[in-house]
Amino acid sequence: MKKLIIVLLLFVSVQQSKSQELETILLAADDASLLTQNYLNPAMKGLMYSMNGGWYTTAKTHKKFGFDITITANASFVPSKDQMFAFIPSDYTYSSLPNGETSLNTVMSENDSETEIDISIPLNDGTFKVASFDMPGGITEDLPINAVPTPMVQLGLGLPFKTDIKIRLVPKLNFDDSVEANLFGVGLQHDLMQYLGPLDKLPLSISVLGAFTNMEVSYAIEDENTEDEVSVNNGEATFKMNTWTIQAIASLDFKIITFYGSVGYNNGKTTVKMKGDYILTYDIEDSSGNVIGSIDESISNPINLDFEANGMRATIGTRLNLGFFKIFADYTLQEYNTASAGIAFSFR
């Protein structure tokens, strides 16, 4: 389960290998939020789309007190257009690209090269360069596919009235002395064939599903390796995600194989915050690059970002039934197309 959280942290940018670089983005002052928003956006969207996958492998509900344990791997594919974001100079107050680039890598880029950004401020009727930092590149170069993964373990239980409840749960975990994480999801699937009279005898099943997932992660930011440009007091990065989905599901259920599909709607909202007190130290340089002085700027709670992902979805999949053991795979068409595969142990 710890590995599950580490995988998720990788795609919400608070993983250890990039956290220092993201902290250094604060040198961009008022531009830091926009740079961070653009950099993280495809990972946030992919995570929300991926979290809404894997809730079912058939439209047929359990008998009363029947149950299943399902292990799923979802992967939402990042479109190539979202591997980069355009750098529009007029959107930024203090930041510029000294080497003439017009776009920057996002966290989901296959290009891991960094991009130099200069910070300049108006001072004494002039504009002076006060800082420079490297914007981090992408993290997917060594991955087999450019996608946001969400492995998941889920319990399903049959209730009265041909309704299933589905639970996803990761209790609050603390590890590496800096990370806390927890996840909770719940879904209800209700059979509609019971209202269709004699059609209830066909191998066809129809049901509706509503599901919700919440995930929260916090990461303590330590004051280290900043070359005295950024000092931190009580630094913390927090992540909170809420997603929900509503779907109409149909399946053809035979003894050996099941074919299933659905249409529905996804919605997801995520907030990322960087809390704490930070002191940014700038060396003031003249036009020749000579340091002529320095200034300190104190900021508190510098980043507060909101991400959204919503839209229609359509899924088609198949499941191999080997007694109580099931093997399944499906594919969902949506803004970030998503593949799901896994196994299940299902009884009654």
Side-chain angles (χ1 to χ4, degrees):
M1 195 63 70
K2 177 180 176 180
K3 291 182 178 179
L4 164 62
I5 295 298
I6 291 176
V7 169
L8 297 177
L9 289 178
L10 177 66
F11 292 98
V12 299
S13 81
V14 296
Q15 28 74 23
Q16 305 265 357
S17 63
K18 293 293 182 182
S19 62
Q20 180 53 55
E21 292 170 312
L22 288 169
E23 180 186 322
T24 305
I25 291 174
L26 294 180
L27 290 170
D30 291 347
D31 295 339
S33 284
L34 182 56
L35 285 169
T36 308
Q37 179 105 23
N38 289 332
Y39 178 72
L40 297 180
N41 188 57
M44 297 297 107
K45 292 178 71 173
L47 185 60
M48 288 183 279
Y49 281 118
S50 193
M51 275 291 182
N52 276 328
W55 280 104
Y56 58 88
T57 60
T58 177
K60 189 174 182 179
T61 56
H62 285 291
K63 296 179 181 178
K64 188 176 179 180
F65 302 130
F67 68 94
D68 68 87
I69 299 173
T70 302
I71 303 170
T72 307
N74 303 314
S76 290
F77 301 98
V78 178
S80 58
K81 66 179 179 64
D82 286 349
Q83 293 189 33
M84 306 284 291
F85 69 92
F87 184 87
I88 303 172
S90 60
D91 289 345
Y92 300 90
T93 304
Y94 306 109
S95 305
S96 62
L97 304 182
N99 298 318
E101 298 94 341
T102 59
S103 59
L104 299 174
N105 296 316
T106 69
V107 67
M108 296 305 298
S109 173
E110 296 173 359
N111 184 349
D112 65 355
S113 61
E114 300 175 339
T115 304
E116 183 180 358
I117 295 181
D118 284 350
I119 308 300
S120 301
I121 63 171
L123 186 66
N124 297 331
D125 298 324
T127 299
F128 294 87
K129 176 182 173 181
V130 295
S132 179
F133 69 93
D134 292 327
M135 188 74 181
I139 64 173
T140 66
E141 181 182 25
D142 297 326
L143 297 180
I145 56 174
N146 191 344
V148 182
T150 54
M152 194 63 60
V153 179
Q154 176 178 300
L155 172 66
L157 177 66
L159 301 178
F161 310 111
K162 293 189 176 182
T163 298
D164 285 357
I165 185 170
K166 303 170 185 286
I167 300 293
R168 297 172 171 179
L169 178 63
V170 178
K172 180 171 286 189
L173 299 178
N174 296 271
F175 53 89
D176 294 337
D177 297 324
S178 59
V179 178
E180 291 186 356
N182 66 278
L183 180 146
F184 175 74
V186 61
L188 287 175
Q189 183 175 340
H190 183 67
D191 173 71
L192 298 181
M193 292 300 293
Q194 59 185 311
Y195 307 115
L196 300 180
L199 295 180
D200 191 28
K201 304 300 181 182
L202 299 176
L204 173 67
S205 299
I206 300 174
S207 62
V208 292
L209 168 80
F212 170 83
T213 303
N214 167 266
M215 184 172 73
E216 298 184 12
V217 179
S218 64
Y219 170 69
I221 299 173
E222 298 180 358
D223 188 5
E224 60 182 3
N225 299 325
T226 60
E227 299 179 353
D228 296 326
E229 291 179 317
V230 180
S231 62
V232 184
N233 184 33
N234 297 322
E236 182 185 43
T238 64
F239 165 88
K240 182 177 181 180
M241 181 197 69
N242 291 315
T243 65
W244 57 264
T245 184
I246 297 176
Q247 299 179 49
I249 311 165
S251 64
L252 291 171
D253 299 280
F254 302 105
K255 184 175 182 179
I256 300 298
I257 195 167
T258 295
F259 301 100
Y260 61 92
S262 71
V263 294
Y265 184 81
N266 287 327
N267 184 274
K269 293 184 178 180
T270 298
T271 60
V272 175
K273 298 181 181 181
M274 186 175 285
K275 301 177 181 180
D277 300 313
Y278 301 79
I279 299 176
L280 314 181
T281 300
Y282 300 102
D283 290 330
I284 302 174
E285 299 179 3
D286 61 20
S287 58
S288 299
N290 299 314
V291 177
I292 60 175
S294 64
I295 57 174
D296 290 340
E297 179 182 358
S298 298
I299 57 175
S300 297
N301 304 327
I303 291 179
N304 188 353
L305 309 179
D306 294 304
F307 302 89
E308 291 190 10
N310 55 74
M312 299 297 296
R313 57 173 287 151
T315 299
I316 188 168
T318 187
R319 187 182 75 179
L320 182 63
N321 304 315
L322 304 174
F324 65 85
F325 181 66
K326 320 290 183 182
I327 303 172
F328 63 90
D330 60 56
Y331 193 81
T332 299
L333 296 176
Q334 53 191 356
E335 183 182 12
Y336 280 34
N337 293 339
T338 302
S340 300
I343 60 174
F345 303 90
S346 183
F347 303 89
R348 299 185 66 201

